């Protein structure tokens, strides 16, 4: 496969290159792409050096697959140009996720919806991916009615600028701000932009994307998204009300049996999911599994994943692997 990585110099792009190498994705030609600022720079993949090219050049090289992580505006403008050239685009931005003509895919849940005709495929929001990985098996068994999720999201979810802001604050250096306030020793109830309904765009992604991925509108999601000063790894406190009652041991078993999900829930040994533990891992970790004693058929749990891996790069590459394995590119 001739593979373009659009946004190769960014946080997600770098992890994308690492994951492609780790999983030995069948690449015959790698095309690293970034903004004009980075054209001519060198990136290393599997110990070989590659020169970063611009978008125009990359389209003219007609890659089989383009893995996009270069922001929504770049995707809106350039994904259709790649698609027109015959390239299949897997996009990490929010540009196409809720477009009814585009598929929104977490391979463990709905890869089967993909066809050869899908030329632009959307990768869900990082917080959504880890949420649905845990919800899907439970919904199938107990039928969810309502989910209330509060996130504790790392600065790497915002990109390189935000990671630099945190590092500068720790080092006592005054620098460019990615957020309207300091993030060190702080918690910002403000991920992405505010919308007219008082929610942030991130919160509405969490509310809408699960229904599309799970192809089910019978449940609803209410979200509060908070940015905290962790470098990498998103955490979520999740409260789920089901139609049917559940058995806690069975819930743990269902989650343990789900590929890509690891139950980490041994209170006697202080074992529960944490960002420092999930770092650089592809799995979604679930712990603190307990009954909500305030109302019937309701469960509380704590979900953590590496937002740059399963939340972005790994999920994108799993989609690309599915396309290759099923001759869809
Ligand atoms: N961080 C996460 O956890 C996460 C998770 C899921 C999805 N995403 C999405 O992935 C995308 C990238 O996020 P990130 O965190 O990797 O951001 P980032 O670290 O800021 O990197 C952005 C990348 O996009 C490139 N880029 C920016 N403007 C461009 C343009 N006009 N033309 C071509 N390339 C351009 C940059 O190139 P230069 O280096 O040349 O500027 C860089 O390679 C965003 O859409 C984000 O929403 C991020």
């Amino acid at each position: 496969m001739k593979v373009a990585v659009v946004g190769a110099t960014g946080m997600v792009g770098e992890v994308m290159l690492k994951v492609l190498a780790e999983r030995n994705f069948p690449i015959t030609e790698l095309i690293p792409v970034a903004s004009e600022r980075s054209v001519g720079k060198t990136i290393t993949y599997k110990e070989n050096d590659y020169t970063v090219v611009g978008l125009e050049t990359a389209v003219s090289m007609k890659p089989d697959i383009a893995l996009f992580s270069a922001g929504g505006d770049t995707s809106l403008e350039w994904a259709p140009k790649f698609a027109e050239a015959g390239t299949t685009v897997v996009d990490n931005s929010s540009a196409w996720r809720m477009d009814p003509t585009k598929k929104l895919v977490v391979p463990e849940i709905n890869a089967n919806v993909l066809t050869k005709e899908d030329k632009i495929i959307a990768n869900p929001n990082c917080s959504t991916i880890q949420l649905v990985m845990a919800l899907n098996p439970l919904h199938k068994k107990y039928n969810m009615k309502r989910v209330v999720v509060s996130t504790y999201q790392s600065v790497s979810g915002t990109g390189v600028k935000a990671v630099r802001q945190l590092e500068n604050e720790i080092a006592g250096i005054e620098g460019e701000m990615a957020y309207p306030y300091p993030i060190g020793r702080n918690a910002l109830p403000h991920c992405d932009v505010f919308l007219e309904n008082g929610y942030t765009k991130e919160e509405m992604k969490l509310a809408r994307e699960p229904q599309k991925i799970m192809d089910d509108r019978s449940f609803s999601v209410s979200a509060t998204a908070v940015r905290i000063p962790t470098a990498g790894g998103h955490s979520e406190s999740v409260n789920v009300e089901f139609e049917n009652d559940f058995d806690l041991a069975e819930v743990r078993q269902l989650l343990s049996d789900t590929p890509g999900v690891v139950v980490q829930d041994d209170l006697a040994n202080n074992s529960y999911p944490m960002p420092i533990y999930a770092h650089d891992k592809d799995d979604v970790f679930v712990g603190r599994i307990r009954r909500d004693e305030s109302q019937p058929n309701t469960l509380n749990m704590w979900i953590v994943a590496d937002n740059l891996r399963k939340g972005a790069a790994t999920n994108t590459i799993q989609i690309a692997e599915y396309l290759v394995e099923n001759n869809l590119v």
Side-chain angles (χ1 to χ4, degrees):
M1 290 283 133
K2 202 193 267 192
V3 178
V5 176
V6 181
T9 53
M11 298 232 61
V12 175
E14 273 181 27
V15 179
M16 204 104 85
L17 293 167
K18 196 171 155 189
V19 176
L20 283 168
E22 275 174 14
R23 297 172 79 100
N24 223 0
F25 192 82
I27 297 182
T28 49
E29 190 179 343
L30 176 72
I31 309 169
V33 189
S35 78
E36 291 306 319
R37 295 180 288 274
S38 304
V39 170
K41 276 189 188 167
T42 303
I43 62 114
T44 308
Y45 175 76
K46 285 192 171 177
E47 291 167 13
N48 292 315
D49 286 345
Y50 294 82
T51 305
V52 173
V53 301
L55 283 154
E56 197 89 57
T57 309
V59 173
S60 71
M61 292 169 83
K62 295 189 185 298
D64 299 297
I65 298 180
L67 307 174
F68 264 64
S69 64
D73 292 341
T74 307
S75 291
L76 280 174
E77 184 182 349
W78 288 90
K81 294 183 185 174
F82 277 88
E84 252 171 59
T87 303
T88 302
V89 172
V90 187
D91 180 44
N92 255 293
S93 79
S94 58
W96 307 100
R97 288 180 192 149
M98 296 314 292
D99 181 327
T101 66
K102 307 288 181 289
K103 310 279 171 64
L104 182 65
V105 176
V106 175
E108 290 90 342
I109 299 174
N110 66 336
N112 60 315
V113 299
L114 293 169
T115 68
K116 233 181 176 134
E117 280 64 53
D118 295 311
K119 285 295 176 195
I120 300 176
I121 300 157
N123 198 64
N125 178 42
C126 41
S127 312
T128 305
I129 295 176
Q130 66 185 72
L131 179 66
V132 293
M133 284 288 289
L135 292 183
N136 189 55
L138 302 180
H139 178 51
K140 280 191 183 153
K141 181 79 185 179
Y142 309 113
N143 234 346
M144 295 188 309
K145 282 165 67 179
R146 180 168 183 251
V147 180
V148 181
V149 52
S150 301
T151 69
Y152 302 68
Q153 301 186 210
S154 66
V155 294
S156 70
T158 313
V160 276
K161 231 173 104 176
V163 175
R164 214 172 295 129
Q165 176 181 332
L166 178 60
E167 285 169 356
N168 283 343
E169 285 178 30
I170 291 168
I173 300 167
E174 247 185 63
E176 200 185 351
M177 300 278 282
Y179 302 117
Y181 296 99
I183 183 65
R185 291 189 279 169
N186 207 357
L188 305 178
H190 181 180
C191 297
D192 210 332
V193 296
F194 285 108
L195 303 172
E196 262 183 19
N197 63 358
Y199 285 82
T200 60
K201 205 169 159 191
E202 184 82 359
E203 288 162 350
M204 293 317 292
K205 291 173 199 166
L206 276 157
R208 301 275 178 264
E209 292 177 16
Q211 295 160 342
K212 179 164 176 181
I213 298 160
M214 292 160 70
D215 190 25
D216 192 334
R217 272 139 194 89
S218 66
F219 63 88
S220 52
V221 181
S222 180
T224 302
V226 180
R227 190 75 59 190
I228 59 162
T230 39
H234 290 352
S235 308
E236 297 175 342
S237 163
V238 183
N239 179 270
V240 197
E241 185 187 356
F242 295 102
E243 198 83 48
N244 307 312
D245 200 10
F246 54 82
D247 172 71
L248 277 180
E250 193 183 51
V251 165
R252 289 202 177 86
Q253 196 58 50
L254 278 170
L255 291 168
S256 296
D257 291 346
T258 303
V261 173
V262 172
V263 172
Q264 194 182 5
D265 199 20
D266 178 5
L267 303 187
N269 290 305
N270 291 340
S271 175
Y272 35 73
M274 290 183 290
I276 48 170
Y277 182 81
H279 175 68
D280 225 15
K281 301 198 175 85
D282 287 320
D283 291 315
V284 172
F285 297 86
V286 186
R288 302 293 322 279
I289 300 165
R290 63 214 192 274
R291 192 174 279 281
D292 178 347
E293 294 177 346
S294 71
Q295 66 167 8
N297 305 349
T298 307
L299 183 79
N300 277 312
M301 55 187 172
W302 177 250
I303 305 173
V304 180
D306 186 325
N307 51 296
L308 295 174
R309 283 208 165 234
K310 184 57 183 165
T314 303
N315 199 72
T316 304
I317 290 160
Q318 286 174 316
I319 294 173
E321 285 173 347
Y322 183 91
L323 295 172
V324 173
E325 281 160 17
N326 292 279
N327 294 319
L328 301 178
V329 275

